[in-house]
Amino acid sequence: MKQRLRFFLAAAISWIAFMIFIRFAFSIYQYSQTSLLSIGEVLLSFTYGLYHDVSLTGYIMMLTGLILCSSITLPGTKLKLLFRVLYAVLMLISLTIAVPNFELFRNWGFHADGTILSYLKTPKEAAASTALSTYILLFGIYIAMLTLSYKLFNRFLIKKLDAITPTKLKFLPLLLLLTASMIIPVRGGFGIAPMNVGFVYHSSNTYANLLAVNPIWNFSYSLKKLNKNKRLKLITDDEAKIRFQDMMASQTINQDTILTSQSPNIILIVLESFTSAIIEELGGKKGVTPNFHALSDEGIMFTNFYGIGDRTKIGTVGIFSGFPSLPQKPVIEFHKKVQNLPSLCKTLKKEGYNSKFYYGGDLHFASMNSYLSNVGFNNTISMDDFPGELNTSKWGVHDEFLFDRLYHDIKLEKQPFFKACLTLSSHEPFAVPMETAIQGKDENSLFMNSAYYTDKCLGEFIARLKKLPSWDNTLVILLADHGSRYVGNYVPSDPDKYKIPMLWLGGCLKQKGIKIDKYGCQPDLATTLLPQMGIDASDFTIGKNLFNKSQKGYAYFTYNNGFGFVDSSQSLIFDLNSNKWKAEIAKHNEAQTLLQYIDYSFFKL
């Protein structure tokens, strides 16, 4: 019996060590962030991380204990093959989650969870963001970690089975009790609250907290929550509705008219990853987007504008439907809810507009095709509509060819028209068809170089557009689908990561060279544009009119485990892991009201 207990203890220690090994490898892979922590902060992250490590090990030890119980009358040599196979499979599963997470975390800023399963529907497009060399590196890490772990387990753990002899049945209750007691580490102790992500949160530093999170535990935990419709309970829905109405301006719109026509042609260009960090007018780096810089003086620039998320599928819904997402709940993935969304496209169609959406990639990616169909675009153009020889990007057709097609169609289009375009060349892996303009092989430089290319294509497109007779009755709106972690090296909870440009251009503008400092975000587009055209925007219940002088300005965003609120006086973050605001917040604060109202609106769809 002693040998079985010793093996049980040795197995528990071995699996905890395996989890620590994964965290250590993760910390090395994320060295650029780990190096910013002190030794003490790193050790504290590893210490708090034991909550998850021990919890996950508890599940494995339940299985181990059941095997030892069921074989109590057998010698340990009979169990060696079973444990070798079992532990090898568990290692395979663990590393299959953990090693890809190294790169996903580096790109996304959060650990992989159940939401990544939606990308498996289009694996080619999902893989396009990562260079072949990265896949080779990750595969090498995977094989090395699996080989080393398996050999160490066999050498120091599996051989202990040789010492196990058949045991009398009277010891079975003790072994069963030990196995059942593993529920304690699994739950995280004797407290009321079971183990959750918040157990390992210990620091004001976001990365230090995320370093403590066990990616295998996190992924498994997220799968349990994937299909649950959990409501927020910050305040009641009725309170949120009343307070939200107080936040919105009165029905009387107090605005200046900025258009010469109420039926302008509208060209909406959504720029991939165009963070404010590369826009000079917004305090970004000079020289990255020189055409955007030159165009800024020719139109109306919104200087405090934000994306509502860090994914195209989130920003797209915000732009075209005026509707935000909740953390871990991109509304585009809820197809029944998408059918109930308002739509800028449908509203303009009622006013006689023809509409078409342009994208150089595959619109099946991230449910985009079904969304665009639901919101009423007459037609869509994607990579399949271009000659095969132009499909030279991992994502599809580069921006210069996309703008060529858009320009060609505009020349032939009957007015009024609504054209929407989503670029792709400034997406990872940042390989663009031009001589390098911004030197450097690091990711920030490669990103800026790809943005320079898109900006160049944009400048040439606008220059040609100005020569068309339709220019005098055309409004061009430039904004980003989301911000980026590049250049600014932002963490997911940093509001600056979500700050993006919005610029209105065109011959139909009455006023030019204007800066709008009021805080706004993507869902405000429809409610800002439509009133200028004399069109009712009441279907868009969450957005606000940024030209309405009586409307308070604010912006919000969501990331995987949180919600952010920004205005001229404050920046607040609500963390879902701890279910708390990261700063002191008044009981009836606007951020609290807005988050609860968005939650209410989401589940009401």
Side-chain angles (χ1 to χ4, degrees):
M1 182 60 181
K2 288 183 179 179
Q3 288 81 8
R4 288 178 189 269
L5 294 177
R6 285 172 181 159
F7 176 80
F8 189 92
L9 178 61
I13 294 173
S14 297
W15 278 105
I16 292 171
F18 176 70
M19 303 300 171
I20 294 173
F21 175 47
I22 289 175
R23 183 174 291 104
F24 176 76
F26 173 85
S27 69
I28 297 300
Y29 199 92
Q30 316 297 334
Y31 178 76
S32 62
Q33 294 195 62
T34 306
S35 62
L36 300 178
L37 302 178
S38 67
I39 296 295
E41 287 175 315
V42 172
L43 291 176
L44 204 58
S45 293
F46 274 69
T47 301
Y48 273 85
L50 289 173
Y51 277 114
H52 281 174
D53 301 342
V54 171
S55 177
L56 192 56
T57 297
Y59 287 105
I60 298 172
M61 297 317 300
M62 283 183 179
L63 188 55
T64 299
L66 288 174
I67 294 173
L68 293 175
C69 288
S70 62
S71 62
I72 196 165
T73 60
L74 296 177
T77 52
K78 298 285 187 179
L79 305 176
K80 292 181 76 172
L81 179 60
L82 175 59
F83 274 110
R84 279 199 184 103
V85 173
L86 174 63
Y87 285 178
V89 169
L90 291 174
M91 286 179 193
L92 279 167
I93 295 172
S94 298
L95 291 175
T96 299
I97 296 170
V99 175
N101 178 69
F102 292 175
E103 180 65 17
L104 289 173
F105 182 93
R106 195 177 66 83
N107 283 313
W108 293 356
F110 58 84
H111 290 291
D113 57 26
T115 59
I116 68 169
L117 297 179
S118 64
Y119 291 99
L120 297 182
K121 299 174 186 176
T122 50
K124 179 181 176 182
E125 289 74 21
S129 297
T130 306
L132 177 61
S133 59
T134 302
Y135 284 113
I136 295 173
L137 173 62
L138 290 173
F139 182 73
I141 293 173
Y142 181 89
I143 295 299
M145 292 182 70
L146 179 62
T147 302
L148 178 60
S149 300
Y150 184 74
K151 285 186 175 182
L152 289 174
F153 264 67
N154 272 290
R155 181 174 180 181
F156 295 106
L157 179 62
I158 301 300
K159 74 172 188 177
K160 291 184 181 297
L161 290 168
D162 292 330
I164 293 179
T165 57
T167 305
K168 295 178 181 180
L169 288 175
K170 67 178 183 179
F171 292 109
L172 181 59
L174 177 61
L175 200 53
L176 283 171
L177 179 62
L178 178 62
T179 301
S181 70
M182 290 299 100
I183 191 64
I184 298 171
V186 164
R187 289 192 76 258
F190 297 97
I192 296 175
M195 178 63 66
N196 57 63
V197 181
F199 268 61
V200 303
Y201 272 48
H202 63 281
S203 172
S204 59
N205 184 295
T206 300
Y207 175 70
N209 289 328
L210 293 174
L211 177 58
V213 172
N214 183 303
I216 305 151
W217 183 94
N218 182 72
F219 184 80
S220 304
Y221 181 74
S222 71
L223 290 179
K224 294 192 299 182
K225 299 169 60 181
L226 198 58
N227 295 317
K228 290 185 179 180
N229 288 328
K230 185 178 179 181
R231 293 292 316 277
L232 289 170
K233 294 181 180 179
L234 302 176
I235 54 177
T236 68
D237 288 339
D238 288 340
E239 287 177 310
K241 286 186 282 185
I242 293 171
R243 294 174 189 165
F244 180 73
Q245 290 303 317
D246 290 340
M247 290 173 61
M248 305 301 287
S250 64
Q251 295 300 315
T252 302
I253 297 176
N254 178 18
Q255 67 176 13
D256 294 327
T257 301
I258 56 98
L259 300 178
T260 59
S261 166
Q262 288 198 329
S263 299
N265 305 310
I266 300 171
I267 303 171
L268 176 57
I269 300 177
V270 183
L271 299 163
E272 170 66 48
S273 302
F274 259 50
T275 169
S276 63
I278 57 171
I279 306 298
E280 185 175 339
E281 286 69 29
L282 303 179
K285 286 186 174 294
K286 296 181 180 180
V288 180
T289 54
N291 289 286
F292 200 105
H293 173 62
L295 292 169
S296 296
D297 291 330
E298 300 179 15
I300 300 174
M301 183 73 168
F302 295 78
T303 60
N304 286 305
F305 199 75
Y306 288 75
I308 57 169
D310 53 7
R311 287 286 171 271
T312 301
K313 62 183 180 182
I314 296 174
T316 300
V317 177
I319 291 168
F320 293 103
S321 293
F323 203 88
S325 285
L326 288 169
Q328 301 179 354
K329 291 184 177 70
V331 70
I332 198 172
E333 296 177 2
F334 295 78
H335 300 297
K336 290 184 179 179
K337 293 183 182 294
V338 167
Q339 296 173 12
N340 298 323
L341 289 173
S343 163
L344 182 59
C345 185
K346 288 179 180 177
T347 301
L348 291 174
K349 186 181 292 187
K350 292 177 183 177
E351 302 296 323
Y353 280 76
N354 294 314
S355 64
K356 187 177 286 188
F357 186 91
Y358 296 76
Y359 179 56
D362 184 356
L363 286 174
H364 290 95
F365 182 60
S367 303
M368 285 288 290
N369 196 42
S370 61
Y371 169 74
L372 294 172
S373 175
N374 271 298
V375 298
F377 277 96
N378 290 63
N379 202 353
T380 57
I381 299 295
S382 65
M383 60 189 294
D384 295 331
D385 298 297
F386 291 85
E389 61 268 21
L390 299 183
N391 190 352
T392 58
S393 160
K394 272 197 170 185
W395 284 96
V397 176
H398 275 296
D399 293 345
E400 60 184 288
F401 307 113
L402 179 69
F403 282 123
D404 280 344
R405 175 60 186 268
L406 178 58
Y407 174 74
H408 173 76
D409 286 1
I410 287 172
K411 287 197 301 181
L412 304 175
E413 188 64 73
K414 179 182 177 181
Q415 300 184 56
F417 58 79
F418 174 44
K419 302 285 190 183
C421 168
L422 172 63
T423 68
L424 59 72
S425 295
S426 49
H427 198 292
E428 297 98 335
F430 312 130
V432 291
M434 71 171 190
E435 292 185 10
T436 301
I438 296 179
Q439 302 297 321
K441 297 297 184 182
D442 60 289
E443 286 184 319
N444 287 341
S445 298
L446 292 173
F447 165 65
M448 288 190 289
N449 190 66
S450 69
Y452 184 94
Y453 165 77
T454 295
D455 177 77
K456 177 176 178 290
C457 299
L458 175 65
E460 293 170 352
F461 169 73
I462 297 294
R464 287 190 290 173
L465 209 59
K466 289 178 179 178
K467 298 176 182 178
L468 294 179
S470 60
W471 174 254
D472 289 339
N473 191 44
T474 295
L475 172 65
V476 181
I477 300 175
L478 309 176
L479 77 170
D481 57 346
H482 53 77
S484 174
R485 69 179 177 86
Y486 296 108
V487 184
N489 297 316
Y490 306 118
V491 297
S493 59
D494 191 335
D496 285 342
K497 179 183 177 183
Y498 304 90
K499 191 174 183 182
I500 60 173
M502 184 166 75
L503 175 63
W504 291 21
L505 301 165
C508 70
L509 287 179
K510 281 184 178 179
Q511 306 175 55
K512 300 179 181 180
I514 297 172
K515 309 293 184 187
I516 305 296
D517 295 329
K518 183 178 293 184
Y519 280 72
C521 50
Q522 288 162 330
D524 300 333
L525 175 62
T527 44
T528 300
L529 171 64
L530 295 177
Q532 287 290 329
M533 302 169 65
I535 300 174
D536 178 28
S538 59
D539 287 344
F540 301 86
T541 58
I542 296 181
K544 55 192 178 295
N545 185 346
L546 299 181
F547 288 125
N548 192 342
K549 297 175 182 178
S550 59
Q551 173 66 60
K552 174 181 169 58
Y554 58 82
Y556 50 86
F557 58 87
T558 63
Y559 57 101
N560 201 51
N561 285 310
F563 169 87
F565 178 92
V566 188
D567 63 16
S568 58
S569 62
Q570 62 184 339
S571 175
L572 298 166
I573 301 296
F574 182 81
D575 184 81
L576 285 181
N577 291 326
S578 61
N579 207 40
K580 295 178 180 178
W581 295 94
K582 284 191 172 182
E584 290 295 325
I585 182 168
K587 183 178 180 181
H588 297 164
N589 191 276
E590 292 170 332
Q592 189 178 28
T593 299
L594 183 59
L595 178 54
Q596 187 68 48
Y597 186 79
I598 290 173
D599 179 82
Y600 159 78
S601 301
F602 178 89
F603 285 98
K604 187 183 176 183
L605 280 176

